[in-house]
Amino acid sequence: MRRDRLQDYSGNGQKAVPTFSAAEMAGRVARLRAHMEAADIDAALMSSYHNINYYSDFLYCQFGRRYGLVISHDMVTSISAGIDGGQPWRRTVGANVTYTDWQKDNYFHAVRELTGGVRRLGIEFDHITIETLDLLKAEFPQMEFVDIAAPAMRLRMIKSEEEIAHITQMTRIADLGAAAVVEAAKVGVPEHEVALHSTAAMVREIARTWPEGELLDTWTWFQSGINTDGAHNPVTARRIEAGDILSLNCFPMVAGYYVALERTLFAQSATEEEIRLWEFNCKVHDRGKELLVPGNSCAQIAAELNELYASENLLQYRSFGYGHSFGVLCHYYGREAGLELREDCETVLEPGMVVSMEPMITIPEGQPGAGGYREHDVLVITPEGNRNITGFPYGPEHLILS
């Protein structure tokens, strides 16, 4: 018994209401095609969550299968697995080809159908696996494979007005999630109950704001006590105790886009040393936001903030970079690594970039003031400086919870 290698789900339902306008999506593809023309690339095969989503508005669920988006000089077509039915076609701004599971190389058969005559194919060197690259070479020995990931990342780093409006709505929702954390965080309440309350508040507002959108991946990390020592520590069932240092981390996800809001809090009271450390970290946060202006490099910003921490003998307690780009990314995928506020990143800030400021220090257990202190705002770089699109308050005068 044999089945067709490809299936056609076009017309299975109606096309979904897209997240962005037709002009916005066409502009993204046009900028990529301009790079392809300059680099003599005949077509691109995107494979990552972030690039497929950015250029087609479709966010796939991998689950052990390969996905793709072929962008040539005259078409945009997503490649999806049959298990997803017509959802990829409905969500793709462009065409869709679906492959079946009946033969192991059906994905590559779909690629072949879309790349006839291609000599130079752009692929994502930072995403594609060695296994997939070897299979591509075996399937298409006549092709030359060139990197499209780094140029695509640079194009994504400058946000359009539509993207900035979308991200701004999301930061508003993150503020609502933070308010829900403060509402739920009481002595005796476990971390997971606080996180669930916050996430539910954000998901409901996302559904109200984007009634035609998909609801997936929004989450909250709420940490207490020792669990605050790492920025990405998962939620546990630990119960809040009086005097605990707390950390809220709200992450609404909409159409593949991610924003974050993070704050230090204390349960009922904070010691003099805890307040000193907290206020100093807020001082670094404030200075960092002042530095997020056109013409400053990521490395320069990191160097100046390092000096601030060093002046208080706290530099050794800093645990990661000072911020990063926002857009199509997630804790499971994606990163615009060319725009991170680190000592080894020389990227110069430009208008249209969207960047966080998120200084953190972790004081080891057993020392006065032990715990992780972190504040996090999202800012849009403008020609005049920046615009802070995070509104939730921070510091001891606001977030010592009763």
Side-chain angles (χ1 to χ4, degrees):
M1 183 182 294
R2 296 180 65 83
R3 289 279 304 275
D4 291 339
R5 305 184 76 174
L6 304 179
Q7 292 176 301
D8 183 6
Y9 276 105
S10 60
N12 196 51
Q14 296 182 338
K15 282 280 194 179
V17 175
T19 309
F20 299 100
S21 71
E24 166 72 16
M25 298 304 292
R28 297 179 185 187
V29 174
R31 288 186 289 275
L32 183 71
R33 284 174 173 157
H35 165 75
M36 290 163 57
E37 173 116 20
D40 192 26
I41 295 173
D42 301 311
L45 171 62
M46 299 300 190
S47 55
S48 67
Y49 291 98
H50 40 282
N51 275 324
I52 291 176
N53 179 254
Y54 183 77
Y55 288 106
S56 75
D57 203 27
F58 163 53
L59 188 63
Y60 65 81
C61 175
Q62 184 174 21
F63 234 118
R65 292 174 171 87
R66 294 183 175 89
Y67 287 75
L69 183 74
V70 174
I71 302 175
S72 69
H73 289 280
D74 58 6
M75 67 164 186
V76 177
T77 307
S78 62
I79 302 172
S80 59
I83 193 171
D84 296 327
Q87 182 261 0
W89 173 79
R90 293 192 295 272
R91 289 287 167 184
T92 297
V93 177
N96 169 260
V97 170
T98 299
Y99 69 93
T100 69
D101 283 347
W102 287 76
Q103 290 176 244
K104 285 187 176 181
D105 65 343
N106 281 356
Y107 172 82
F108 299 99
H109 179 71
V111 174
R112 182 177 292 106
E113 292 285 301
L114 298 171
T115 57
V118 168
R119 301 169 298 105
R120 283 167 56 85
L121 182 69
I123 61 174
E124 296 180 68
F125 280 18
D126 65 355
H127 180 267
I128 203 158
T129 65
I130 293 173
E131 177 190 37
T132 301
L133 180 59
D134 286 344
L135 289 169
L136 281 170
K137 288 178 177 178
E139 292 278 347
F140 306 103
Q142 79 284 4
M143 283 188 192
E144 179 184 357
F145 301 102
V146 294
D147 184 37
I148 199 80
M153 177 190 68
R154 288 192 291 271
L155 291 173
R156 296 197 316 273
M157 279 163 45
I158 305 294
K159 272 58 182 178
S160 69
E161 288 302 317
E162 284 194 32
E163 284 184 284
I164 290 169
H166 181 82
I167 293 168
T168 301
Q169 281 276 40
M170 293 173 64
T171 55
R172 175 184 65 83
I173 291 169
D175 287 347
L176 296 177
V181 166
V182 170
E183 180 181 57
K186 309 293 183 184
V187 170
V189 177
E191 292 176 1
H192 70 277
E193 291 293 344
V194 177
L196 286 169
H197 186 64
S198 171
T199 301
M202 291 190 289
V203 170
R204 290 184 179 116
E205 182 61 17
I206 290 168
R208 190 193 69 80
T209 306
W210 290 276
E212 304 291 339
E214 296 175 330
L215 301 172
L216 70 165
D217 295 336
T218 292
W219 85 107
T220 302
W221 279 325
F222 177 75
Q223 301 138 346
S224 63
I226 187 64
N227 295 334
T228 64
D229 68 343
H232 296 164
N233 293 354
V235 171
T236 74
R238 183 185 184 277
R239 293 180 182 273
I240 300 170
E241 299 176 7
D244 269 350
I245 186 172
L246 310 171
S247 182
L248 71 80
N249 312 263
C250 298
F251 308 109
M253 289 284 300
V254 180
Y257 280 73
Y258 156 100
V259 301
L261 188 158
E262 300 165 12
R263 293 289 185 260
T264 303
L265 315 89
F266 275 83
Q268 295 187 345
S269 64
T271 67
E272 184 176 326
E273 178 63 5
E274 287 166 342
I275 289 176
R276 182 187 77 85
L277 292 164
W278 190 4
E279 287 182 335
F280 190 78
N281 204 56
C282 290
K283 178 181 177 180
V284 175
H285 183 57
D286 291 338
R287 178 55 183 155
K289 288 186 288 185
E290 292 173 354
L291 295 172
L292 293 178
V293 297
N296 281 349
S297 77
C298 296
Q300 288 170 334
I301 294 168
E304 178 165 336
L305 298 182
N306 282 345
E307 290 295 330
L308 265 180
Y309 278 134
S311 70
E312 291 289 314
N313 195 30
L314 293 172
L315 184 58
Q316 67 270 32
Y317 300 127
R318 202 195 116 210
S319 55
F320 61 92
Y322 288 102
H324 56 83
S325 180
F326 277 78
V328 178
L329 55 102
C330 177
H331 58 316
Y332 291 127
Y333 61 83
R335 192 78 163 177
E336 291 170 10
L339 184 49
E340 296 196 357
L341 302 178
R342 298 163 38 132
E343 297 82 357
D344 57 358
C345 181
E346 298 294 339
T347 301
V348 175
L349 298 183
E350 301 176 39
M353 292 177 170
V354 180
V355 188
S356 62
M357 175 49 58
E358 48 180 306
M360 178 178 179
I361 51 173
T362 297
I363 308 302
E365 191 75 0
Q367 293 190 25
Y373 300 77
R374 183 169 70 261
E375 315 301 335
H376 181 299
D377 287 11
V378 178
L379 299 95
V380 178
I381 309 302
T382 66
E384 300 77 26
N386 66 55
R387 176 165 55 92
N388 191 339
I389 56 175
T390 296
F392 202 75
Y394 55 94
E397 63 273 32
H398 299 290
L399 293 177
I400 297 178
L401 307 182
S402 59

